Amino acid sequence: MTETYADPLDAVRAATPVEGDPERMLPAEAYTSVAVLDWERRHLFAGSWTCLGRFTDLFPDAGAAVRQRAAVLGDVPVLLVHDAHVLRMFANTCRHRGHELLGEGETSPRRRIVCPYHAWSYDLEGALRAARGFQDVEGFDDEDHSLVELPVRVWQGWVFGHALHPAGSEEEPDFERHLGDLADLLTPYRCDDLVLADRHSYEVAANWKVIAENYHECYHCPLIHPELCQVTPPDSGDNYDLPGAWVGGAMFLRDGMSTMSLTGELAGNPLPDVDATRVEYLHLLPNLLVSAHPDYVMAHRMVPLAPGRTWVECSWFVAPSAGGTVPELRGAVDFWDITNKQDWAACESVQRGLASPHFRPGPFAPKEDAVADFVTRVGRAYRVGRFE
Ligand code: FES
Ligand SMILES: [Fe+2]
């Protein structure tokens, strides 16, 4: 008899391996259920530290044309505000009757946040400044109706937000603890000094976790990535077991290969202070995959659109040449565009297979230890309500 569960996540929790179990995939519903994705958006995206993009993309001219920008963090509409060199984030929910203060993706140069519904207006620190018609309402105090401020950080040029608990509350997760030792690993790449060389966006017909799991193993590389295997042996390197809410490892370049590019030749300017023989593959939970090379840093930012659909923004960052010109990075961008598409095709095939009534979670190979680490973290988060 099939058991029935009141909460759809209970079925997934019950079928999710716990630590110490033989390591195997999550149950199919974890990748196909709308209810599970809704839960993940609230608890693993809004409730974690999720990457919203590069600061310079969100506020391109440091504040004049764009002072306010609406975005969505997990399932929570947020309003990013940058003014006088201070970045703040608020719930994009008016304190009158809840209208969004700016529509999703919209920006504004204004120094006041004005709700389009009944024109309550707030300053850029979130304080209510005017509530039409409330001047003579007894007992109405502006201070009771400030916008809800949410925690936001800029780290290595990326903006990270937490949208579940207000800034300064006890439940706000500690950002430095979230990064853990990832911060030390990425510091030599000086990502905040790098500039965008190129960017591709993809819409992948697969669950965000299928994409992450694929990122965490090279067991598939000899089968689908002939170009990649020419520059890096697929069985090179090891995974890290260090503090922080991230999963990842390093791989090594073949002798004579200087970077991951179509020819193995450097495509950007070599980054000083980094190990020229290795490539770091680091997944900061939940949605940022940072692949750091000797001459460029590639980052995939994932936004789940549906259980079987994920938007992926792939950006390549380089050190500018003397005089400020930006290297073209063609050989690396083309290399990774080919590799990305090989990966997306595999992920989309896995997603179709997961939807079959005959799918059963299979075991991980020894070379898939980072996938097992990721799945274990997701399984634990399903039980405790957040990434740890
Ligand atoms: S909902 Fe914003 S002013 Fe009424
Ligand atoms: Fe791959």
Side-chain angles (χ1 to χ4, degrees):
M1 202 179 89
T2 311
E3 276 189 77
T4 54
Y5 295 89
D7 175 354
L9 206 70
D10 283 347
V12 172
R13 288 189 188 107
T16 296
V18 292
E19 281 158 271
D21 259 12
E23 289 166 340
R24 58 191 151 83
M25 287 177 73
L26 297 167
E29 292 77 12
Y31 306 94
T32 58
S33 151
V34 171
V36 171
L37 183 65
D38 286 350
W39 187 93
E40 290 176 342
R41 275 198 181 119
R42 170 62 56 91
H43 297 276
L44 304 188
F45 283 75
S48 183
W49 283 101
T50 292
C51 181
L52 286 151
R54 295 292 282 181
F55 177 79
T56 47
D57 291 329
L58 296 167
F59 295 98
D61 63 353
V66 179
R67 285 199 178 83
Q68 308 173 31
R69 174 182 291 277
V72 177
L73 209 167
D75 64 341
V76 179
V78 296
L79 185 70
L80 291 156
V81 174
H82 183 252
D83 187 51
H85 308 291
V86 178
L87 178 66
R88 290 188 171 87
M89 188 169 81
F90 301 102
N92 188 10
T93 297
C94 182
R95 293 300 307 273
H96 175 222
R97 278 175 48 214
H99 198 284
E100 291 164 324
L101 302 155
L102 272 184
E104 185 182 346
E106 286 179 13
T107 63
S108 165
R110 298 174 80 167
R111 291 185 183 277
R112 280 289 161 101
I113 300 164
V114 182
C115 178
Y117 200 11
H118 313 95
W120 279 30
S121 78
Y122 307 82
D123 65 25
L124 296 183
E125 296 179 20
L128 180 63
R129 292 297 183 186
R132 271 175 57 237
F134 277 82
Q135 293 83 343
D136 302 324
V137 175
E138 211 171 309
F140 181 86
D141 187 345
D142 290 356
E143 288 188 10
D144 294 338
H145 303 281
S146 301
L147 295 178
V148 175
E149 186 161 357
L150 298 167
V152 67
R153 300 279 189 285
V154 181
W155 176 74
Q156 294 285 347
W158 286 286
V159 175
F160 297 86
H162 168 84
L164 201 49
H165 300 104
S169 73
E170 273 186 15
E171 291 91 353
E172 176 184 334
D174 186 278
F175 184 64
E176 277 67 38
R177 192 162 164 238
H178 183 77
L179 292 177
D181 287 15
L182 180 82
D184 292 339
L185 281 170
L186 266 186
T187 297
Y189 293 87
R190 298 191 202 162
C191 295
D192 38 7
D193 293 336
L194 304 183
V195 296
L196 185 70
D198 209 341
R199 173 172 285 156
H200 291 181
S201 296
Y202 308 88
E203 197 173 310
V204 185
N207 184 270
W208 70 276
K209 299 186 297 299
V210 169
I211 295 170
E213 288 161 10
N214 174 76
Y215 180 76
H216 285 308
E217 51 94 0
C218 216
Y219 186 40
H220 68 262
C221 293
L223 282 300
I224 71 169
H225 295 317
E227 296 82 3
L228 183 142
C229 291
Q230 279 178 8
V231 290
T232 185
D235 55 357
S236 72
D238 274 316
N239 293 309
Y240 297 110
D241 181 15
L242 294 168
W246 57 277
V247 177
M251 288 180 67
F252 291 91
L253 296 162
R254 285 190 193 281
D255 284 347
M257 299 295 168
S258 302
T259 194
M260 308 283 280
S261 66
L262 285 173
T263 59
E265 292 166 302
L266 289 178
N269 296 315
L271 302 173
D273 310 326
V274 312
D275 182 341
T277 65
R278 64 197 285 142
V279 182
E280 304 282 1
Y281 293 92
L282 307 168
H283 176 187
L284 182 57
L285 298 169
N287 72 330
L288 187 66
L289 313 173
V290 181
S291 309
H293 300 69
D295 56 337
Y296 64 95
V297 170
M298 174 175 71
H300 294 91
R301 184 167 66 91
M302 299 186 284
V303 179
L305 304 173
R309 222 153 42 86
T310 306
W311 182 78
V312 182
E313 177 193 70
C314 183
S315 309
W316 291 267
F317 302 102
V318 287
S321 305
T325 53
V326 178
E328 241 203 357
L329 213 67
R330 192 76 276 135
V333 171
D334 289 348
F335 171 90
W336 275 114
D337 186 52
I338 290 168
T339 308
N340 280 338
K341 286 173 178 159
Q342 292 162 341
D343 279 324
W344 309 154
C347 291
E348 292 179 348
S349 180
V350 167
Q351 188 74 28
R352 290 191 294 274
L354 283 164
S356 162
H358 304 294
F359 169 80
R360 297 288 178 275
F364 295 128
K367 283 184 186 174
E368 295 174 297
D369 55 330
V371 189
D373 184 4
F374 172 70
V375 163
T376 302
R377 285 165 184 269
V378 172
R380 197 186 306 143
Y382 285 161
R383 291 187 179 85
V384 304
R386 62 184 182 280
F387 280 128
E388 295 184 309

